[in-house]
Amino acid sequence: MSRLFSWGRTAYHFALLYPDRVSAVITLGVPFLLTGPEAFPRQFIPGGFYMLRWQARRAEKDFGRFDVKTVVKNIYILFSESELPIAGEDQEIMDLVDPLTPLPPWFSEEDLANYATLYEKSGFRTPLQVPYRAWLQDYGVSDLEVKVPALLIMGEKDYVYKFHGIAEYITSGKVKEYVPDLEITFMPEGTHFVQEQFPDQVNDLIISFLKKHI
């Protein structure tokens, strides 16, 4: 049975581990990246960077100071900006958001309420584990070439694009050493939530890709 995934590194790692079960990979805002303790570029990342904080299991205490709806709101505000979320020594990640900051214009109060309801039921354990804490795991894969067609949709205002070396990694074609059959589409006004900003355009790109390859 062919499968399609669209959750960043997890999608690619599944394709590496189970190539016979994957027909294509589509990711939004996250290219193929190596995993494992040695692959995480700690030397280039400030200690207050949100991924380091969440890998160190500070999120549970940080999030616990607020209701679920506020946590979801803060994450949408932070991650829809073009700057990397980095907290000071005396801050937690949630402290980076001014309580008076409005939601992004493409994310409604109804959207927020619906998401909050879902996370009240599920909690944040899985989204913290995948992908942030899972990045540190070694999956024991020796062949790092993704054999299936792949599509990366990248917002040019996505904060991920400011990770150390990411822009060059994508634009230079280095990423294609791991994913040879990769198509890349940039959306000039897109942020980390490009699929929610521009759902029609993203859907069209995905459908076109699937018609071509599946």
Side-chain angles (χ1 to χ4, degrees):
M1 179 178 180
S2 62
R3 298 176 184 267
L4 174 73
F5 289 81
S6 59
W7 195 334
R9 293 184 301 277
T10 306
Y12 281 120
H13 298 154
F14 191 94
L16 291 174
L17 288 167
Y18 308 103
D20 57 326
R21 297 175 62 184
V22 178
S23 298
V25 175
I26 298 173
T27 60
L28 308 173
V30 180
F32 175 91
L33 295 169
L34 298 175
T35 60
E38 301 303 319
F40 193 81
R42 291 181 180 275
Q43 67 272 30
F44 300 114
I45 299 176
F49 184 53
Y50 83 99
M51 290 186 69
L52 293 181
R53 291 289 182 87
W54 292 357
Q55 286 172 356
R57 302 187 181 276
R58 290 178 63 161
E60 286 82 350
K61 186 175 181 179
D62 185 11
F63 292 4
R65 298 177 296 154
F66 305 94
D67 58 66
V68 170
K69 187 175 181 179
T70 300
V71 173
V72 175
K73 176 183 178 180
N74 287 352
I75 288 174
Y76 262 84
I77 290 171
L78 271 180
F79 287 12
S80 64
E81 296 176 350
S82 59
E83 297 301 320
L84 295 172
I86 300 173
E89 291 185 7
D90 59 345
Q91 288 181 307
E92 296 298 336
I93 298 302
M94 292 291 101
D95 297 330
L96 295 174
V97 181
D98 184 331
L100 299 179
T101 303
L103 288 169
W106 40 265
F107 192 67
S108 69
E109 288 290 343
E110 182 180 0
D111 293 332
L112 175 60
N114 289 334
Y115 276 55
T117 297
L118 292 172
Y119 278 111
E120 283 171 354
K121 295 177 181 178
S122 68
F124 295 101
R125 180 177 180 179
T126 296
L128 286 171
Q129 177 65 26
V130 182
Y132 305 111
R133 294 166 183 171
W135 194 343
L136 302 178
Q137 298 176 9
D138 186 346
Y139 293 89
V141 179
S142 56
D143 183 358
L144 296 175
E145 182 179 303
V146 176
K147 303 296 195 298
V148 298
L151 171 65
L152 168 62
I153 302 173
M154 191 85 199
E156 292 186 17
K157 294 185 178 180
D158 189 333
Y159 69 87
V160 171
Y161 211 50
K162 292 190 176 180
F163 281 14
H164 177 83
I166 285 292
E168 182 180 359
Y169 174 65
I170 295 173
T171 58
S172 69
K174 178 75 174 177
V175 63
K176 292 190 177 183
E177 293 181 10
Y178 301 102
V179 193
D181 194 2
L182 174 65
E183 299 177 25
I184 304 173
T185 296
F186 291 98
M187 303 192 73
E189 297 301 314
T191 67
H192 197 57
F193 297 109
V194 65
Q195 73 278 11
E196 296 185 61
Q197 280 182 281
F198 306 108
D200 292 338
Q201 294 94 317
V202 170
N203 283 340
D204 287 345
L205 288 168
I206 291 174
I207 291 170
S208 176
F209 175 80
L210 293 177
K211 286 181 176 178
K212 188 190 310 182
H213 295 288
I214 303 298

